[in-house]
Every structure is written in structure tokens, then in C-alpha cells.
């Protein structure tokens, strides 16, 4: 099996290199791992899943993806089947879907999902630490437990993360919306509706049949000895604000209890592995569990119970696409659709409906970008600007001249865009978000320590610190090299009298670096590089954010997808598909087996250069000195 890791045996820090085996993903347990990647090749592949919440084309595409046959029927749909839907689908799209399915079959026949675990087991790695996995946003299935009239037909059925969701969206959209949206005032269950996060490994292994999420990690972990007795998936209702995860579901109390039980039973500290939004949940948990207003574990609880935290593609500083999704129900996935797909999507869920849905899920807003202009730039500058770039990334929402009075008078930075969002959204949304999260920067140790008492700060790593756990190890594994939306052009709606939205993406603008109103930057296709990389490479090197000196190891994974593989193959770095990446699985197994100290940092992007330009400094530093930092 061709491996993405090359091992170097290092007898000492300056010793000569020993021969390495390129065909083995995991060397002897005592070796030191240095991750070497090739430079990413430029390639393009069709984005088959158009938008999870919406379009008919996405539903049909998902049907092809999940099926073992070229065409499938949905018995639940009554008279509706894929055959009948295909009558109105363009032939070119049908061909693309068939190619997509065939590619997935070919991959399944040639790629053994258990191969990473088998190789690791052959080289002596075995289950050591208890493992707890915290999934990302929207990857946990939500099932109905309501018994009112509107819910009885869906009792114990998943209204998120299943074909039942697709059926309800098509056939019973208003009922589906009533279930999936939280109460706007309380942020909890609406009257007569009760949705709860599915539990167990099957809560997150597949989104729908055939579309894996955590399944490949589960397979490889099982191969070295993990099962439900020494591993656990801490699924959660990602719609809830973090404080309401505890209020309604006692989520953090249950997580604390499970970790404590695992440590007592196994006699070893726990490894936490989190993905995307799940990394924010873990960071919040670190504060909650120690706080007297939370878990009351005291300042040594993390030190006593957590061995390592594997932070996979963590959106530690949020994601800029989250802001536009909440502002106007849009992002690149919707802006760059063709006319047919746009029509299908708008028939199911219009921009205004999507914005309303996202706003009524306060958990989604936890990923609004943090750090303001210091991180994301101002009107004329951003730390990740490229040479000869015509429009700075710092100018986040841009407007062409000639727009009418519904658009702002000038272009907006990320900081100004957040203010604009709060100024133009309903008071219930403002109350929910401002009462749950904070987006600023703490510039001194005193501020950071004071913020430990304020739960609205606990999700923001720029306002709070890592736990006082000197033996804790953090591993940041994230993808790079996939274009990721970074700024936008907006305009007034085409028919302002027919919508409550003030502005929408200017999808008609395509010139230079602007594609359908979207400007791309660096990241993993979903989360920006500044978000995944800043804290890992620079922020947690500052004493006020990491007073205990927790060791942070960073491994960047260049995006090198296989051209005809619909999920990218074993070298993808896409935000979700990276969970099936071969060397990510290798590194997770190594940490779980107690050999994480053999992993060395590997950074291939310019994140350290960008991080040095971010306008956040050590207390003893001056800006000029910080600008010269490496």
C-alpha cells in the first residue's frame, strides 16, 4: 500500500538519517515520524453535492450516491421515484451522476478501508487510551421524539441525516421546518416538537446511506482493538447554543461523567478527537468542566483526565461563509449553481427561508468569524493578502457602485459585517447570539483570566486560555490547498419588495478574481486557513493563551484529490472528506496507541507568515517586532 508518510529513524536530534520504508504507513513504535507531503497538484473536480439543505438536484445526486444500482426508487415518496424525476433532469446531469456512481464503485473495489488499521496492528500498535470523538457541525443525525399530531408520523425517525429528511423536505416542507428550527426566543424546543441527537457510533458514521463521515476512522480504530467499551462518540444537537447544550441535554455533564468513568475503568487518560465545530465544543468544554459555574472539576481536571486533544480541521476562529449563510442564506455552494439548480433550490428553500433556518439554529452562529479586523484585515489590508491582489481580503463585503439605498454606503470589513448583521436581523437573533458568544480579542493576561468567569467568552480562543494542563498534548491536523471563500460582492435583491433580505450575493459578477460574486482564498474548501491554523501556529505560542505551555503539534495536509474519485481518495484534504484520508487515520491511530510523541510538525502553507502579520501581540512585544516574527 502506497503510504503518505515517510519515516526517518533519528538516533538523536542531529544524527544521520536511517533508511526509511516508503511502503509502510506506520514504522516501529519507537521511530520518530516526520510527515513529508508532495506539493499539491492543481486539479478540478465537480462538486456533486450541491447543497445539503436544498435542491432537487442534490437529492437525486445523493440517491445515486447511496445506491448500488444505477437508478433507485424511494418507496416512502409514493408516486415519486428517481425515474419520474429524471424526466425533467437534463441528460448531461444524468450522465454526470452515473459517472459519479461508477467512480465510487471503482474506489470501493480498490481501496480497503481497513488497510490503515491492519498495517498499524501489524507494526505493534494497539488500543491504549480510551477514545472519545466529538463530531462537527450537521454531521450528527437528529431524530424526532415528539408525540404531538405533527410529529407522530416521524417518531424515532431522523429528520436530519437520513432519507426521511429528504422525503420530509420534499413532501412536507413546512412540517420539516417546524421540527428543525428551534424556538426563536428560547433557543430550545418549539412547542409540541422534540428533536434529539442520535446516539452511538451510527449517529455520525454516515450522513445518509453511502455518504460516510466518521465511518473510516471507526473501521481503522476497531482494527487495533477499539470497540464501544473503550471508545465513545459524543454526539450533540449542533443546532443548540453551547450553554443550551447543557441546559436542555446535560451534554457536558454526560461528557464529563463518561471521561471520568473511562479513566477509572481503563486506568489511562482519555484522548479527545474532534472535527470542525466539534473542536469549538471541546474548547468550550475545557472551560466549563473546570468552572465553578459549570462542571466544578477544578483547575486540575483536564490535567488529570485528558492525555491528548486531536483537533481535526477545527474552525477555531470561525468561518467567513458562516456569516453570509446567516446574513442572506447564501455561500459559494449556492452562488455558483447553474440556472437549473438555482431554480430547484429556490423552489425547495429560498434564500430567505435558508437565512431564517440558520438564524434559528444558534449553534451554527458559534462559527461566526472571531478576532475582528486584527485577524481578518481592514479595508486595505489582510494578513493573507497575496502580491498584486487587486482587492484586499480585508474588504469582506463589497458593493458595486450604482446599487440602491438598501446596500451599505461603503464596503465592510468582517468586523463591520458582524455589526451590520446584528443591525439588520431580528431582536430575537441578536439576543440569542450576543448572550452566547463573543468575537473579540483579549490583549492582556489579566483580560484572559477575567474572561474565565464569563461563559460567553469560552468558545473564543482569542479571549480565553488553554487549560492549566502542562502534560496535555494538542495535535492540529487540517487540510490546505483547496480554494476557500474569503470575501464577497453583494447587491440589493432583484425584487426587494418580495423579500425581507436587504442584500444578496452579486452572482452576476464574474471578472478577475471574482466568480459569481465570490472571492476565493486559502483553506480546506470550507474553513479558512487563518481559522484552522492561527491558534495552532501562533496564538497558542503566546503565554497569555497558553500559560501552562501545552505542547502543540501541527500537521498540514495538502489537498491532492484523485481526479475520478467523488470523495477525493486517500489524499484529499477537503474539510469533510479528510476524515477518510489515509495519513490522517494513521496519525489518529498513533496518538490513540500512545505514540503521539513520535509525530513531528509539518507545515507546507504560508500560515506562519500570515500569523506573524495578524495584529495580536505578546504583551511585552511591540508591533514592529511582531511583524518580523517567523
Amino acid at each position: 500500500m502506497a503510504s503518505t508518510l515517510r519515516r526517518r529513524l533519528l538516533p538523536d536530534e542531529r544524527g544521520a538519517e536511517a533508511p526509511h520504508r516508503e511502503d509502510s504507513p506506520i514504522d516501529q513504535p519507537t521511530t520518530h515520524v516526520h510527515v513529508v507531503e508532495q506539493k499539491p497538484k492543481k486539479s478540478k473536480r465537480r462538486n456533486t453535492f450541491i447543497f445539503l439543505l436544498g435542491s432537487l438536484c442534490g437529492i437525486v445526486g445523493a440517491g445515486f450516491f447511496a445506491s448500488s444500482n444505477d437508478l433507485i426508487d424511494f418507496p416512502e415518496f409514493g408516486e415519486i421515484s428517481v425515474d419520474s424525476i429524471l424526466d425533467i433532469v437534463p441528460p448531461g446531469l444524468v450522465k454526470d451522476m452515473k459517472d459519479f456512481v461508477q467512480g465510487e464503485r471503482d474506489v470501493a473495489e480498490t481501496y480497503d478501508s481497513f488497510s490503515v488499521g491492519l498495517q498499524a496492528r501489524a507494526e505493534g500498535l494497539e488500543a491504549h487510551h480510551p477514545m472519545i470523538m466529538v463530531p462537527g457541525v450537521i454531521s450528527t443525525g437528529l431524530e424526532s421524539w415528539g408525540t404531538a399530531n405533527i410529529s407522530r408520523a416521524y417518531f424515532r425517525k431522523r429528520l436530519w441525516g437520513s432519507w426521511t429528511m429528504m422525503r420530509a423536505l420534499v413532501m412536507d416542507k413546512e412540517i420539516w421546518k417546524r421540527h428543525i428550527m428551534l424556538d426563536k426566543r428560547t433557543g430550545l424546543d418549539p412547542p409540541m416538537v422534540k428533536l434529539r441527537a442520535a446516539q452511538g457510533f451510527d449517529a455520525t458514521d454516515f450522513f445518509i446511506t453511502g455518504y460516510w463521515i466518521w465511518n473510516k476512522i471507526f473501521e481503522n480504530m476497531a482494527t487495533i482493538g477499539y470497540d464501544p467499551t473503550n471508545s465513545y462518540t459524543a454526539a450533540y444537537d449542533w443546532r443548540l447554543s453551547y450553554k443550551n447544550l447543557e441546559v436542555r441535554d446535560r451534554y457536558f455533564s454526560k461528557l464529563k461523567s463518561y471521561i471520568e468513568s473511562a479513566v477509572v475503568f481503563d486506568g489511562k487518560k482519555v484522548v479527545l478527537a474532534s472535527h470542525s465545530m466539534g473542536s469549538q465544543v471541546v474548547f468550550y468544554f475545557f472551560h466549563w468542566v473546570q468552572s465553578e459555574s459549570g462542571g466544578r472539576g477544578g483547575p486540575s481536571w483536564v490535567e488529570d483526565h485528558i492525555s491528548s486533544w486531536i483537533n481535526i480541521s477545527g474552525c477555531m476562529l470561525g468561518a467567513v461563509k458562516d456569516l453570509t449563510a446567516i446574513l442572506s442564506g447564501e455561500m459559494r455552494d449556492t452562488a455558483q449553481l447553474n440556472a437549473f439548480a438555482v431554480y430547484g433550490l429556490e423552489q425547495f428553500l429560498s434564500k430567505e427561508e435558508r437565512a431564517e433556518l440558520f438564524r434559528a439554529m444558534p449553534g451554527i452562529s458559534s462559527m461566526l468569524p472571531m478576532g475582528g479586523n486584527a485577524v481578518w484585515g481592514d479595508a486595505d489590508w489582510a494578513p493573507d493578502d497575496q502580491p498584486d491582489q487587486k482587492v484586499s481580503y480585508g474588504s469582506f463585503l463589497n458593493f458595486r457602485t450604482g446599487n440602491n439605498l438598501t446596500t451599505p454606503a461603503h464596503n465592510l470589513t468582517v468586523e463591520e459585517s458582524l455589526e451590520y448583521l446584528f443591525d439588520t436581523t431580528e431582536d430575537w437573533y441578536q439576543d440569542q447570539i450576543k448572550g452566547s458568544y463573543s468575537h473579540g480579542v483579549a490583549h492582556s493576561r489579566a483580560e484572559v483570566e477575567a474572561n474565565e468567569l464569563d461563559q460567553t467568552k469560552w468558545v473564543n480562543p482569542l479571549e480565553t486560555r488553554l487549560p492549566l494542563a502542562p502534560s496535555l498534548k494538542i495535535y492540529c491536523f487540517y487540510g490546505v490547498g483547496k480554494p476557500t471563500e474569503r470575501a464577497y460582492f453583494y447587491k440589493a435583491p432583484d425584487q426587494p419588495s418580495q423579500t425581507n433580505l436587504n442584500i444578496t450575493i452579486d452572482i452576476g459578477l464574474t471578472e478577475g478574481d471574482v466568480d459569481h460574486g465570490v472571492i476565493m482564498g486559502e483553506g480546506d474548501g470550507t474553513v479558512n486557513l487563518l481559522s484552522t491554523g492561527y491558534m495552532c501556529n501562533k496564538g497558542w505560542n503566546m503565554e497569555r493563551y497558553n500559560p501552562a505551555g501545552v505542547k502543540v503539534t501541527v500537521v498540514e495536509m495538502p489537498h491532492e484529490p484523485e481526479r475520478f474519485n467523488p470523495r477525493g481518495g486517500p489524499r484529499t484534504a477537503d474539510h469533510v472528506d479528510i476524515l477518510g484520508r489515509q495519513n490522517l487515520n494513521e496519525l489518529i491511530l498513533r496518538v490513540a496507541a500512545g505514540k503521539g510523541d513520535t509525530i513531528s510538525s509539518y507545515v507546507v502553507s504560508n500560515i506562519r507568515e500570515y500569523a506573524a502579520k495578524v495584529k495580536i501581540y505578546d504583551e511585552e512585544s511591540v508591533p514592529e517586532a511582531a511583524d518580523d516574527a517567523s
Side-chain angles (χ1 to χ4, degrees), residues 134-197:
V134 184
V137 63
I138 74 173
S139 59
T140 296
L142 303 177
E143 57 188 25
S144 175
W145 281 83
T147 57
N149 288 338
I150 63 170
S151 300
R152 288 174 188 166
Y154 298 107
F155 184 72
R156 295 290 316 280
K157 295 181 180 178
R158 292 191 185 182
L159 290 177
W160 183 267
S162 71
W163 288 113
T164 301
M165 174 190 75
M166 300 296 191
R167 170 186 174 274
L169 182 58
V170 175
M171 307 296 292
D172 214 0
K173 186 181 77 171
E174 292 305 317
I175 297 297
W176 179 82
K177 285 175 59 179
R178 287 183 62 182
H179 281 79
I180 207 72
M181 294 170 63
L182 294 169
D183 184 274
K184 294 176 179 179
R185 293 291 175 186
T186 66
L188 299 169
D189 293 324
M192 299 186 296
V193 168
K194 183 186 287 188
L195 246 60
R196 294 293 181 268

Side-chain angles (χ1 to χ4, degrees), residues 502-519:
N502 294 309
I503 55 176
T504 61
I505 292 180
D506 191 353
I507 62 174
L509 178 59
T510 297
E511 61 180 39
D513 296 331
V514 185
D515 184 2
H516 292 78
V518 182
I519 301 171

Side-chain angles (χ1 to χ4, degrees), residues 252-445:
F252 295 113
S253 292
K254 293 176 182 177
L255 180 57
K256 176 176 181 280
S257 177
Y258 188 91
I259 292 172
E260 291 173 339
S261 297
V263 171
V264 170
F265 184 80
D266 290 301
K268 302 180 183 70
K269 292 195 283 188
V270 166
V271 169
L272 292 171
S274 60
H275 175 245
S276 188
M277 177 181 172
S279 294
Q280 289 187 321
V281 173
V282 168
F283 189 74
Y284 184 96
F285 171 72
F286 285 158
H287 295 90
W288 178 91
V289 74
Q290 298 177 118
S291 172
E292 284 301 309
S293 61
R296 299 182 178 181
S300 66
W301 190 93
V302 174
E303 172 71 12
D304 295 339
H305 294 86
I306 308 298
S307 169
S308 303
W309 171 28
I310 304 173
N311 169 17
I312 307 167
S313 304
C315 50
M316 301 313 302
L317 300 183
V320 298
K321 69 186 297 181
D322 194 65
L323 201 160
T324 61
I326 295 164
L327 180 64
S328 62
E330 300 174 285
M331 55 192 77
R332 181 186 64 165
D333 308 66
T334 61
Q336 296 181 359
L337 294 176
N338 60 43
F340 176 82
V342 168
Y343 175 81
L345 178 58
E346 290 296 315
Q347 292 304 305
F348 279 100
L349 288 170
S350 67
K351 288 188 284 286
E352 187 171 350
E353 287 179 301
R354 298 195 301 269
E356 181 187 24
L357 279 170
F358 289 134
R359 293 174 193 177
M361 301 174 179
I364 298 290
S365 291
S366 71
M367 294 177 289
L368 288 171
M370 290 172 256
N373 293 1
V375 172
W376 302 99
D378 56 32
D380 303 310
W381 165 91
D384 52 340
D385 280 345
Q386 301 300 304
D388 303 321
Q389 189 170 315
K390 293 182 179 180
V391 178
S392 171
Y393 290 139
S395 185
F396 177 63
L397 295 186
N398 302 278
F399 305 90
R400 286 193 280 179
T401 57
N403 286 283
N404 64 33
L405 296 179
T406 65
T407 63
H410 62 278
N411 297 339
L412 305 178
T413 65
V414 163
E415 198 169 294
E416 293 170 329
S417 299
L418 275 174
E419 295 174 359
Y420 178 79
L421 174 68
F422 292 134
D423 288 342
T424 57
T425 49
E426 304 86 345
D427 59 351
W428 58 263
Y429 175 75
Q430 298 175 47
D431 293 343
Q432 282 288 329
I433 304 312
K434 291 182 178 180
S436 300
Y437 313 116
S438 179
H439 304 91
V441 177
H443 292 283
S444 70
R445 178 76 176 268

